[in-house]
Amino acid sequence: QVQLVESGGGLVQAGGSLRLSCAASGRTFSTYTMGWFRQAPGKEREFVATITWTGGRTVYADSVKGRFTISRDAKNTVYLQMNSLKPEDTAVYYCATRDGANIVTDSRAYAYWGQGTQVTVSS
């Protein structure tokens, strides 16, 4: 059973930074990708960023490109460094993972999800 645990959310002023972490355990497949998604109140869940574990390829949503950076370490943890935060970045942020090495931005392709962490950006 794959488990994902996010941490690092909080309240920050516009222009500030936060770093989210997602620790994965119980993985049984050797090739996989990890992604970050977010969901604001009254809106659908949307793609933020994804990274392939073996090659380290990354893709970002246009809305966060140049401000957010996804990365991973050798201990099955993925990070989302968020800089120059805006009030519209306010959402619950979810970590997710899927089997396979292809870049996928559709949330329906991700089988495993964390519980989410709240990020609030005040103006």
Side-chain angles (χ1 to χ4, degrees), residues 39-107:
Q39 188 166 18
K43 295 187 177 181
E44 293 189 353
R45 190 169 298 186
E46 64 174 359
F47 166 75
V48 175
T50 185
I51 186 168
T52 61
W53 208 259
T54 52
R57 289 185 295 142
T58 59
V59 171
Y60 297 91
D62 289 342
S63 59
V64 306
K65 203 172 294 182
R67 300 188 298 121
F68 291 10
T69 301
I70 188 171
S71 62
R72 83 276 195 255
D73 65 16
K75 298 182 179 180
N76 279 344
T77 299
V78 65
Y79 304 95
L80 186 68
Q81 178 66 44
M82 305 185 294
N83 299 328
S84 303
L85 283 161
K86 305 175 181 180
E88 51 264 43
D89 294 318
T90 295
V92 177
Y93 283 70
Y94 297 90
C95 172
T97 189
R98 57 179 293 275
D99 187 10
N102 296 330
I103 289 286
V104 176
T105 62
D106 188 340
S107 63

